[in-house]
């Protein structure tokens, strides 16, 4: 498990913002359960638990510049 700061990847962040938009729109229209809260826990509980811990244990450089 990683602790501390995450190393940013411009390539991955660009791909996540551009290529998945159409796929997500199609999945939302066809699958009534896509993107609903709690579906990750049902589909893959181990991954969900790992991601929750990872999200709390690490932080990004962008988190320093977010003002809420």
């Amino acid at each position: 498990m990683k602790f501390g700061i995450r190393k940013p990847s411009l390539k991955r962040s660009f791909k996540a913002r551009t290529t998945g938009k159409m796929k997500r729109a199609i999945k939302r229209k066809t699958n009534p359960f896509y993107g609903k809260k709690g579906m990750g826990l049902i589909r893959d509980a181990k991954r969900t638990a790992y991601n929750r811990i990872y999200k709390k244990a690490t932080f990004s450089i962008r988190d320093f510049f977010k003002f809420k």
Side-chain angles (χ1 to χ4, degrees):
M1 177 61 69
K2 184 175 177 64
F3 292 97
I5 193 163
R6 291 190 298 267
K7 186 173 79 171
S9 172
L10 295 174
K11 183 178 176 182
R12 287 181 184 173
S13 64
F14 178 77
K15 188 171 177 109
R17 290 172 188 259
T18 56
T19 58
K21 190 173 185 179
M22 187 62 116
K23 286 182 181 178
R24 286 192 301 275
I26 292 169
K27 286 182 181 180
R28 242 182 264 122
K29 295 285 185 191
T30 57
N31 185 354
F33 299 112
Y34 179 78
K36 301 297 184 205
K37 191 173 179 89
M39 290 306 296
L41 186 61
I42 294 169
R43 293 181 64 113
D44 194 349
K46 186 176 179 182
R47 185 194 320 183
T48 303
Y50 177 86
N51 286 340
R52 284 185 182 175
I53 295 168
Y54 181 80
K55 179 76 173 162
K56 291 180 181 184
T58 62
F59 58 92
S60 173
I61 292 174
R62 290 187 206 131
D63 294 340
F64 289 121
F65 301 110
K66 287 185 181 177
F67 298 105
K68 293 182 180 179

